[in-house]
Amino acid sequence: MEKKPPKKLQAKHKSPRSINFKVIKLCSNHSRNKLKPEALILAKSEEQLLSAYGKTNGCVLTRDAGLGIEYCDSLDQNLQMVEKGTSLLKKMEISVAEAEKRTGKNAVNMQETYTVYLIEMRPVDAASEGTNPVPDSLWRRYSEFELLRNYLLVTYPFLVVPPLPEKRAEFVWHKLSADNMDPDFVERRRVGLENFLLRVASHPDLSTDKIFYSFLTEENGWKETVFETGFQAKADSRLKALNATFRVKNPDKRFAEMKHYGDELQSVISQLLRVRARAADRLYGVYKVHGNYGRVFSEWSAIEKEMGDGLQSAGHHMDAYAASVDDILEEEEHYADQMKEYLFYADALRAVCRKHELTQYELEMAAQDLTSKKQQREELATGTIRTFSLKGVTSKLFGQETPEQREAKLKMLETQIEEGEELVKERNAECEEFVKSAWVDIERFKEQKDHDLREALISYAIMQISMCKKGIQVWNNAKECFSKM
Amino acid sequence: MMSGSVVDNTVSSGNSSAAIPTDISGQILDLDEDDDLEVFSKDTTLTDGSSFNASMQTSPASMINQYKFEEDADTKDIFVTVDNPESHVTAIETYITYRVMTKTTRSEFDSSEFEVRRRYQDFLWLKGRLEEAHPTLIAHPLPEKFVVKGMVERFNEDFIETRRRALHRFLNKIAEHPIFSSSEDFKIFLTAASGELTSHKKQGPGFLSRMGDTVKAVAAAVRGVRNRPQEFTEMQEYVEAFSQKISSLDKVTQRIVREQKEYLEELKECGPTYALWSQSEEELAEPLKNVAGCVDRCCKETEEQVKNLSDHLIPVLHEYVLCADTLKAVLRRRDNIQADFEAKTEALATKKADRDTMRNDLDKAEDRLEWANNALKSDWTRWQKVMRTDLRSAFVDTAERNVSYYEKCLAVWESFLHSQRTDAEGNGKVDFS
């Protein structure tokens, strides 16, 4: 399977030495990628990177004068993530190296075909020493990734949990297949899964999770281990969460704003992806129609004497122009994938906000309950009935209760109030704790998002530039041929 | 009857006949005086300029053959422009007239500048006259009559502008044609006041005589030609193929324009989406707004590029589609002339009575045929050169415009990159060293 070649590395680091070090680590990450020699052009300031990269990989990187700079954002992000230096990533290199089709019997004993992905873990030190030991590896399918993520969501509700690549291809422009078995889709998903693992591995909290670690290391029995944690029981029901959202009285303003932001982000990125897909479709049409020029010029050149050669060669350039759109749009898909990640991140962000609403609501409920119980105690103690209660009504109807009964009730209330106060204290602490840790992660997320999306926009500009350069080249060539007509 | 001569396409010096247009004799004089045509100014031994009794070695046809086509602006002695469409309303109809301005140094024109107003019908008349006089010369096509296609109105601005440009090109092509440009009808078209033109129009061959010609043509067509020379058959094959190819190119180009327009429609929504997004963001607001601006600018460039294709390439391709039809008509007319000659030859062979008249007719028919063939052959060469020049420059022009389009878009995105780099460096976030 052809993998996307890593493209230009953006020079962000200070010392050349650390650049080389990081490059070496990541090189082996992508060592299976066949680099298309013509795919890279690097600025002069990165010559060092170029030679370091080339040496470790054993592949020859060459310059291509015409095509311009291409960016690899996953590589760049990977660099950034590695830079964060969680202890996990400091030790191990993680990658999703390959994808394979398998057939097997599913839960209802029916044949099904599915794809599995190879996860590889390679100790960092070994790679930097130049030795290349066989990595630990295991196969996982998408549903297992989903299980992992669900576990993380429930276990760390105060964290913005990185999203998985989409389950089904959406926002496709018509030439792109919406088929899950399509090799291009599988490839993009492979990249997305790797990205997910690296995001988790670079998160200060998530990277230390044991279930995550065993996901990476224990092929068999992992599922059972996950279920044994009983995380499913801890999951909040949708209904409960929805209820809280409607009824919460005093959510933290910042979280309310964040939720609103999450909504807007989701809406605008969806719109962007839709519009982009339609534009891509149309652009494809424009380029492909030029292929007809190629055909007609060629036919026409057959009947002309002096004009023949010029026409024929111009026709070839028109064919080249028509063909170039495939690469252009493939690159744009990569950009679309980056946008999609944040589309799904928006959802994760909103989930954290909803959880806050839930914890706040439960606190409010507990507090409200406590207040009402205290009130009841007061009423019982003073004998006044201020609030409506069934007790009040029945006692009016059937007569007051005996002092013993009242005593018993008071005692019960006292206990309940004690418990209630404990509960409120607990919930209050939970809430505060939640707000604190969630806000820290939200701030972390904001920084990450600003950085990543800005890089994405830059890479989009670079793609456009590359497309323009190709266009200039083709039409200059065509012009030369035409002038020989 | 055929005289041997140095030059291939000599026309026999038979009797001066009515079939041979008088323009040509006028032309001989012109060519004689023209410095450009050194080749035969030495050869010409014209004694009597008014009759067609030209010397053996020169003939209008040979002159056409040797006429230089790559004229510099220096040697161009007549400039015609068509502009300023205006609408005229009368009781019966509404129509558009165009201003036709001529600047010339030619001596046969009374003055050096003329300005007249002409309507489409006048152009049609001119073309008809030229074709009548020179049935086997290739005239540039006129824009089509108004056809009810889609929602285009006759008085729609775009339609009028497209037509005006085509009429301009038509007159210029006529002016550049060695034979057509010295036509008396052409001169009158360029110079006569409207009333004069109307009366001149009425002077042409009468309705009956034109009917007679048409009948003859139809009869000839029905008879069909028997021994068409190989070169004309080849010409026909070429024209068939050319017609197909140029029509295809026309269609392909129109399709490209359509696709570009649809692409533009979608692209127009991208910029505003980025702008909308920027409103929710803080740090990202600036780059997002920037990208929105870039996308919008690219939209403008794309719009211009589409317009260029429509304004420059499509009209030229379309005209050559019409040219192909003209060529077919020319070849048909030549065939008819040959068919007529063949019929007369047959008649002479079979009939016994009226031999003298028939012989006379036959001679005329033969002359006409030879004239027609030579004229066509020369003009064919000329036409091919012109076609090549026109299409080459149209495609080169298109390629240049495309390059320019991409260069502009490139600059737009590079300025975005630049702004992001200076931004980042300014904030001390990124070290690009």
Side-chain angles (χ1 to χ4, degrees):
Chain A
M1 185 172 319
E2 260 218 297
K3 285 154 200 102
K4 293 235 175 3
K7 299 159 195 165
K8 179 187 181 288
L9 302 166
Q10 189 172 27
K12 292 172 148 247
H13 323 287
K14 284 116 203 176
S15 79
R17 226 167 136 211
S18 62
I19 294 174
N20 287 350
F21 177 68
K22 299 235 179 344
V23 164
I24 289 166
K25 276 208 300 189
L26 288 157
C27 272
S28 35
N29 227 356
H30 295 266
S31 63
R32 275 156 307 284
N33 292 352
K34 288 201 173 60
L35 293 173
K36 287 188 248 176
E38 66 275 8
L40 295 183
I41 178 170
L42 301 182
K44 284 193 182 131
S45 60
E46 278 120 41
E47 295 270 29
Q48 255 186 336
L49 263 174
L50 179 56
S51 55
Y53 199 38
K55 268 189 215 137
T56 337
N57 247 4
C59 58
V60 178
L61 301 176
T62 59
R63 282 169 173 271
D64 182 327
L67 295 180
I69 300 168
E70 298 177 59
Y71 262 62
C72 171
D73 288 275
S74 68
L75 194 57
D76 170 67
Q77 281 166 9
N78 293 351
L79 259 177
Q80 236 238 344
M81 287 190 255
V82 168
E83 239 190 348
K84 296 276 190 207
T86 55
S87 50
L88 175 62
L89 279 180
K90 283 200 171 110
K91 275 191 296 183
M92 304 296 269
E93 250 177 58
I94 305 169
S95 69
V96 175
E98 283 164 34
E100 242 179 50
K101 275 210 196 97
R102 297 268 170 88
T103 45
K105 293 264 168 82
N106 67 5
V108 290
N109 215 28
M110 293 184 62
Q111 278 283 84
E112 60 166 3
T113 316
Y114 55 89
T115 315
V116 284
Y117 300 88
L118 183 68
I119 302 180
E120 286 187 351
M121 293 259 281
R122 189 182 272 115
V124 155
D125 302 316
S128 68
E129 278 161 25
T131 62
N132 219 2
V134 175
D136 292 325
S137 62
L138 44 71
W139 295 93
R140 293 270 184 230
R141 54 186 293 194
Y142 186 82
S143 57
E144 291 175 283
F145 279 86
E146 276 185 310
L147 182 58
L148 171 65
R149 183 161 193 268
N150 287 338
Y151 164 80
L152 293 174
L153 279 172
V154 173
T155 317
Y156 304 90
F158 52 92
L159 295 182
V160 182
V161 176
L164 284 172
E166 54 191 354
K167 187 147 198 168
R168 261 163 284 280
E170 272 177 63
F171 301 112
V172 288
W173 57 283
H174 86 278
K175 276 298 162 208
L176 213 56
S177 171
D179 173 21
N180 281 7
M181 286 288 144
D182 181 76
D184 283 335
F185 178 77
V186 169
E187 170 58 15
R188 286 187 12 251
R189 183 183 261 192
R190 182 195 68 77
V191 171
L193 291 174
E194 182 175 283
N195 195 51
F196 167 75
L197 290 180
L198 286 170
R199 290 250 190 238
V200 175
S202 63
H203 191 289
D205 302 320
L206 295 173
S207 60
T208 57
D209 186 276
K210 298 222 162 32
I211 295 287
F212 174 60
Y213 190 76
S214 61
F215 178 86
L216 298 172
T217 51
E218 286 167 39
E219 185 150 19
N220 302 313
W222 174 78
K223 263 191 175 167
E224 286 71 27
T225 322
V226 183
F227 289 131
E228 273 166 26
T229 62
F231 80 93
Q232 287 162 317
K234 293 191 221 149
D236 300 318
S237 78
R238 223 52 186 121
L239 201 58
K240 204 165 118 188
L242 208 59
N243 187 44
T245 303
F246 282 132
R247 294 205 173 155
V248 70
K249 297 209 184 89
N250 275 327
D252 185 308
K253 265 216 176 74
R254 298 174 299 172
F255 283 81
E257 278 168 15
M258 262 302 121
K259 193 163 122 180
H260 185 63
Y261 169 75
D263 291 335
E264 285 179 348
L265 189 67
Q266 186 170 64
S267 158
V268 85
I269 295 187
S270 300
Q271 188 178 325
L272 185 65
L273 286 169
R274 249 195 322 271
V275 168
R276 190 213 72 87
R278 285 202 302 259
D281 212 6
R282 292 283 156 227
L283 189 67
Y284 184 82
V286 171
Y287 272 75
K288 286 300 177 190
V289 177
H290 280 83
N292 287 322
Y293 270 153
R295 184 181 49 85
V296 180
F297 281 154
S298 173
E299 291 170 6
W300 183 10
S301 71
I303 60 171
E304 296 291 342
K305 293 182 214 98
E306 295 117 345
M307 303 207 296
D309 289 336
L311 277 175
Q312 182 86 296
S313 42
H316 290 148
H317 290 295
M318 290 298 98
D319 287 333
Y321 182 72
S324 70
V325 75
D326 294 314
D327 282 344
I328 289 170
L329 289 179
E330 207 185 285
E331 275 189 56
E332 271 202 29
E333 272 321 299
H334 184 54
Y335 171 74
D337 283 342
Q338 290 175 277
M339 288 294 147
K340 272 184 211 170
E341 193 192 11
Y342 277 92
L343 175 66
F344 303 139
Y345 252 127
D347 213 33
L349 181 65
R350 284 185 349 205
V352 173
C353 298
R354 279 197 303 267
K355 182 67 180 178
H356 161 73
E357 284 170 345
L358 188 58
T359 52
Q360 173 71 13
Y361 176 68
E362 295 196 325
L363 169 63
E364 285 172 6
M365 284 291 100
Q368 196 181 338
D369 199 46
L370 180 65
T371 314
S372 106
K373 290 231 155 50
K374 281 189 175 165
Q375 209 154 35
Q376 279 181 39
R377 176 182 62 183
E378 198 193 311
E379 284 168 14
L380 215 53
T382 60
T384 55
I385 297 171
R386 248 181 293 238
T387 59
F388 173 83
S389 71
L390 199 57
K391 199 88 205 32
V393 169
T394 51
S395 55
K396 274 221 156 113
L397 289 174
F398 301 113
Q400 297 270 14
E401 42 190 11
T402 68
E404 291 82 17
Q405 283 174 319
R406 249 183 48 196
E407 222 25 71
K409 251 184 233 118
L410 257 173
K411 236 184 161 184
M412 198 173 70
L413 270 175
E414 283 295 345
T415 335
Q416 283 178 343
I417 287 171
E418 247 180 71
E419 289 172 352
E421 281 181 339
E422 273 307 309
L423 187 64
V424 168
K425 236 174 39 186
E426 222 178 88
R427 294 229 171 129
N428 202 27
E430 260 176 47
C431 211
E432 271 179 23
E433 186 59 42
F434 183 93
V435 166
K436 214 170 69 178
S437 1
W439 196 251
V440 164
D441 203 47
I442 285 179
E443 293 277 301
R444 180 205 62 82
F445 167 75
K446 268 202 276 192
E447 244 187 77
Q448 175 196 300
K449 166 205 61 134
D450 286 340
H451 170 268
D452 289 349
L453 287 176
R454 181 186 228 178
E455 290 304 310
L457 292 175
I458 289 177
S459 79
Y460 181 74
I462 290 176
M463 262 189 278
Q464 297 304 303
I465 288 173
S466 158
M467 176 176 109
C468 289
K469 285 194 176 162
K470 283 185 201 159
I472 290 172
Q473 194 178 45
V474 162
W475 284 105
N476 268 329
N477 288 339
K479 176 179 154 189
E480 242 186 80
C481 296
F482 285 137
S483 49
K484 296 203 191 108
M485 257 168 79
Chain B
M1 284 297 239
M2 299 283 280
S3 48
S5 72
V6 177
V7 179
D8 258 357
N9 300 321
T10 324
V11 177
S12 74
S13 54
N15 309 322
S16 158
S17 76
I20 295 161
T22 49
D23 310 18
I24 293 301
S25 31
Q27 180 69 8
I28 297 170
L29 274 177
D30 279 330
L31 293 173
D32 198 30
E33 289 163 26
D34 202 316
D35 288 337
D36 217 24
L37 305 166
E38 282 182 79
V39 181
F40 39 90
S41 59
K42 295 176 195 143
D43 291 340
T44 309
T45 54
L46 288 171
T47 50
D48 178 8
S50 58
S51 88
F52 185 63
N53 285 319
S55 81
M56 300 296 170
Q57 285 159 328
T58 62
S59 70
S62 66
M63 289 177 196
I64 300 168
N65 229 8
Q66 294 157 16
Y67 193 86
K68 294 203 172 104
F69 308 112
E70 291 84 41
E71 276 189 81
D72 307 329
D74 313 340
T75 57
K76 193 170 174 192
D77 57 4
I78 180 164
F79 298 86
V80 183
T81 52
V82 177
D83 59 11
N84 196 258
E86 263 174 24
S87 143
H88 291 253
V89 186
T90 69
I92 317 165
E93 54 175 349
T94 310
Y95 59 90
I96 307 272
T97 61
Y98 303 84
R99 179 174 70 165
V100 177
M101 284 211 301
T102 310
K103 291 202 173 84
T104 179
T105 54
R106 289 189 183 172
S107 56
E108 70 268 26
F109 285 82
D110 297 332
S111 157
S112 61
E113 282 187 34
F114 297 90
E115 187 177 314
V116 295
R117 296 207 71 91
R118 296 284 178 253
R119 58 185 289 192
Y120 181 73
Q121 268 181 26
D122 300 331
F123 286 84
L124 273 178
W125 167 84
L126 175 62
K127 179 152 196 248
R129 291 287 293 169
L130 294 174
E131 280 178 343
E132 244 182 84
H134 311 281
T136 58
L137 289 185
I138 304 164
H140 198 70
L142 274 176
E144 287 145 315
K145 292 188 191 166
F146 168 64
V147 173
V148 185
K149 240 194 294 188
M151 303 294 275
V152 177
E153 291 168 12
R154 216 163 96 234
F155 301 109
N156 170 292
E157 259 181 50
D158 282 339
F159 176 78
I160 292 174
E161 176 59 15
T162 311
R163 180 177 265 198
R164 180 198 69 75
R165 288 196 194 155
L167 292 174
H168 175 92
R169 275 193 294 275
F170 167 77
L171 282 185
N172 274 282
K173 287 277 196 276
I174 300 297
E176 285 160 17
H177 192 292
I179 308 291
F180 286 142
S181 75
S182 46
S183 144
E184 186 65 22
D185 291 311
F186 182 53
K187 176 159 158 262
I188 290 177
F189 179 91
L190 291 178
T191 59
S194 310
E196 265 181 69
L197 180 65
T198 319
S199 53
H200 177 82
K201 278 194 199 181
K202 295 200 175 109
Q203 277 170 36
F207 178 68
L208 281 177
S209 117
R210 268 186 285 152
M211 268 301 285
D213 285 339
T214 315
V215 168
K216 272 196 230 158
V218 168
V222 165
R223 236 188 338 257
V225 81
R226 304 259 172 83
N227 293 312
R228 190 197 286 130
Q230 179 62 11
E231 61 185 313
F232 295 115
T233 304
E234 282 170 7
M235 249 186 230
Q236 179 137 34
E237 285 165 4
Y238 172 85
V239 170
E240 280 300 324
F242 177 81
S243 171
Q244 273 177 17
K245 300 313 151 201
I246 205 76
S247 294
S248 293
L249 285 178
D250 187 31
K251 287 199 194 99
V252 169
T253 312
Q254 295 204 24
R255 175 95 185 272
I256 288 178
V257 166
R258 267 202 309 276
E259 296 280 344
Q260 281 275 46
K261 282 187 175 158
E262 294 192 350
Y263 170 64
L264 194 56
E265 282 310 299
E266 300 300 343
L267 197 63
K268 277 189 178 156
E269 302 203 23
C270 280
T273 307
Y274 283 110
L276 177 66
W277 187 356
S278 73
Q279 289 171 12
S280 314
E281 297 287 344
E282 292 157 5
E283 285 288 314
L284 282 178
E286 184 270 323
L288 283 170
K289 263 192 270 199
N290 209 326
V291 168
C294 289
V295 173
D296 285 338
R297 260 143 61 212
C298 284
C299 270
K300 286 213 173 68
E301 297 301 338
T302 309
E303 218 159 6
E304 212 188 287
Q305 199 233 14
V306 172
K307 190 164 180 294
N308 281 336
L309 266 182
S310 299
D311 286 349
H312 296 107
L313 183 58
I314 288 187
V316 174
L317 290 176
H318 194 62
E319 269 168 31
Y320 275 92
V321 170
L322 296 176
C323 264
D325 291 337
T326 306
L327 290 172
K328 287 180 195 166
V330 163
L331 287 170
R332 257 198 317 272
R333 288 198 286 264
R334 191 219 69 86
D335 275 356
N336 290 344
I337 294 175
Q338 178 163 347
D340 182 58
F341 167 71
E342 285 172 353
K344 294 206 162 91
T345 311
E346 235 181 77
L348 192 64
T350 54
K351 298 222 176 97
K352 304 296 174 193
D354 287 325
R355 287 194 77 91
D356 284 336
T357 341
M358 284 207 286
R359 163 128 279 145
N360 213 2
D361 280 348
L362 180 62
D363 285 347
K364 285 191 210 159
E366 192 178 21
D367 284 345
R368 214 170 57 231
L369 177 61
E370 195 162 343
W371 171 254
N373 286 348
N374 292 334
L376 175 55
K377 277 192 265 193
S378 306
D379 216 26
W380 176 252
T381 316
R382 182 200 64 86
W383 178 84
Q384 285 208 300
K385 286 211 169 84
V386 170
M387 179 269 283
R388 187 176 168 199
T389 309
D390 281 353
L391 291 177
R392 174 176 55 213
S393 68
F395 282 115
V396 166
D397 181 62
T398 303
E400 274 173 0
R401 287 178 199 277
N402 284 343
V403 168
S404 158
Y405 161 72
Y406 278 116
E407 283 176 344
K408 291 195 195 127
C409 290
L410 179 72
V412 164
W413 290 108
E414 280 192 332
S415 77
F416 170 77
L417 272 192
H418 183 75
S419 77
Q420 294 307 302
R421 287 194 168 137
T422 30
D423 230 17
E425 281 177 357
N427 292 344
K429 279 188 196 152
V430 181
D431 180 10
F432 281 93
S433 58

